[in-house]
Amino acid sequence: MGLLKSFTKTLLVVFIFTLTFQSKTFADGGFPVRPGRLLISPSVSYFFASSQWDSTGVKKPFPNAGKYTSVGVTLYGEYGISRRFAAIVSLPFVYNDFSQNIKPLNTTSSGLADLETGIRYYLANIDFIYYFSLQGTAITPMYSNNAALGYGEEGGELKLAFSGSGHLGDLSTYFNAADGVRQYFGTNGPIQNRYNATYGLSLDEEFENQVSVTLSGINSWSNDKSFNSAIPGTNKDFNFLQASLSYGHSFTHEISLFLSGGEFLTGRNTGVGTTVSLAFIYRLDYR
């Protein structure tokens, strides 16, 4: 049970807030959360890009020495309703800035972005080592008349996740893989495939220190092929692949801290981004 608790805490926070080029959040986990357990995770992330991949995947600097930065603060929560169901909520606040050497020198925006609320259903397990889950998520914009914060459109997502645990020598390991299809419902609202895979291991028998590596990405399709480097949250037709490395430390059974860094490896109609994130996770039991 202690091993499962450690795995659950780690996996939930690995994707708590991976700040993508569109300042979106996505969290994934196939391991079940026990009934009556509430997981709360505030996090902060920083994103930076000074170059881009164009529509053909060619890497080049932003025009006019442009630089894009984004800082996001997200509150994520997950509650175990029963052995089969868990409720998910994620609410981000973002601050975006694009600077260049011609007027306007700076373009900034800030505010609440898209609220995500969902239900996760644990489909099955194999010997209580490998777990399968299915999650449905509703996307609700928390802003109006501010295109820089997102598409301003409601949407939905269906996601399948597969998780498991094992050993590498004397070290305990875990993995998580997820793939979700997301649809925004407005004009030219993109349809997206969001995927990720994580492999991690503990560094000690008490599971106080852990490291993990993640590959994640988004493929987004839309009839709107435009690309705006100053307000990338409005871009609808793009793709990217990102690699991330995370380190986690558990202070107690209830409190953990995670630090992650990532780099965009390939892309199209997207920035060549670097991300850094810091997340806390706190666990409460009500049963």
Side-chain angles (χ1 to χ4, degrees):
M1 181 63 69
L3 178 61
L4 179 57
K5 290 180 180 179
S6 180
F7 287 157
T8 302
K9 291 191 294 183
T10 305
L11 287 172
L12 285 171
V13 79
V14 166
F15 297 107
I16 290 296
F17 193 75
T18 302
L19 185 61
T20 69
F21 189 60
Q22 294 186 293
S23 302
K24 306 292 184 186
T25 63
F26 49 94
D28 297 286
F31 288 109
V33 176
R34 63 186 293 181
R37 174 166 294 169
L38 175 63
L39 297 171
I40 301 174
S41 178
S43 60
V44 59
S45 289
Y46 174 81
F47 176 94
F48 173 80
S50 60
S51 57
Q52 66 185 35
W53 285 288
D54 64 16
S55 60
T56 63
V58 175
K59 184 178 178 180
K60 59 181 65 174
F62 282 140
N64 306 311
K67 295 180 180 179
Y68 178 79
T69 59
S70 182
V71 177
V73 178
T74 294
L75 181 62
Y76 174 87
E78 180 166 348
Y79 179 73
I81 301 172
S82 68
R83 291 185 180 275
R84 290 284 189 177
F85 290 94
I88 314 294
V89 63
S90 178
L91 180 61
F93 179 92
V94 297
Y95 173 82
N96 305 317
D97 178 80
F98 183 80
S99 62
Q100 56 185 2
N101 57 13
I102 64 172
K103 292 185 177 181
L105 297 178
N106 287 85
T107 302
T108 62
S109 61
S110 62
L112 293 174
D114 289 339
L115 171 68
E116 298 189 9
T117 53
I119 294 292
R120 181 177 298 153
Y121 175 68
Y122 299 102
L123 295 167
N125 73 81
I126 302 175
D127 297 328
F128 297 99
I129 298 176
Y130 305 104
Y131 295 87
F132 300 86
S133 70
L134 183 67
Q135 180 176 322
T137 303
I139 303 159
T140 306
M142 302 300 291
Y143 51 92
S144 60
N145 301 320
N146 194 341
L149 297 178
Y151 300 135
E153 301 169 350
E154 294 183 349
E157 183 181 73
L158 193 63
K159 182 186 303 176
L160 180 66
F162 174 48
S163 302
S165 58
H167 291 86
L168 181 64
D170 293 332
L171 300 177
S172 297
T173 65
Y174 66 88
F175 70 86
N176 184 73
D179 189 87
V181 177
R182 176 174 297 201
Q183 174 71 68
Y184 290 89
F185 303 134
T187 303
N188 293 323
I191 182 170
Q192 299 178 341
N193 181 53
R194 296 173 169 234
Y195 57 90
N196 52 72
T198 296
Y199 181 81
L201 69 160
S202 64
L203 301 179
D204 50 69
E205 294 182 355
E206 291 76 24
F207 308 106
E208 292 183 350
N209 300 285
Q210 305 146 38
V211 294
S212 64
V213 60
T214 298
L215 287 177
S216 61
I218 298 177
N219 291 317
S220 183
W221 299 273
S222 173
N223 291 328
D224 184 353
K225 309 296 183 181
S226 61
F227 175 75
N228 190 326
S229 56
I231 46 175
T234 62
N235 300 328
K236 297 181 177 181
D237 193 82
F238 66 93
N239 63 66
F240 69 84
L241 175 66
Q242 179 180 222
S244 304
L245 181 66
S246 299
Y247 166 76
H249 177 75
S250 296
F251 297 97
T252 67
H253 288 296
E254 291 77 26
I255 300 175
S256 300
L257 172 68
F258 291 83
L259 177 65
S260 300
E263 187 73 23
F264 283 28
L265 304 178
T266 63
R268 178 183 60 82
N269 273 350
T270 189
V272 183
T274 299
T275 65
V276 179
S277 64
L278 182 68
F280 291 88
I281 188 166
Y282 185 63
R283 184 193 66 195
L284 296 169
D285 287 318
Y286 290 98
R287 296 184 191 177

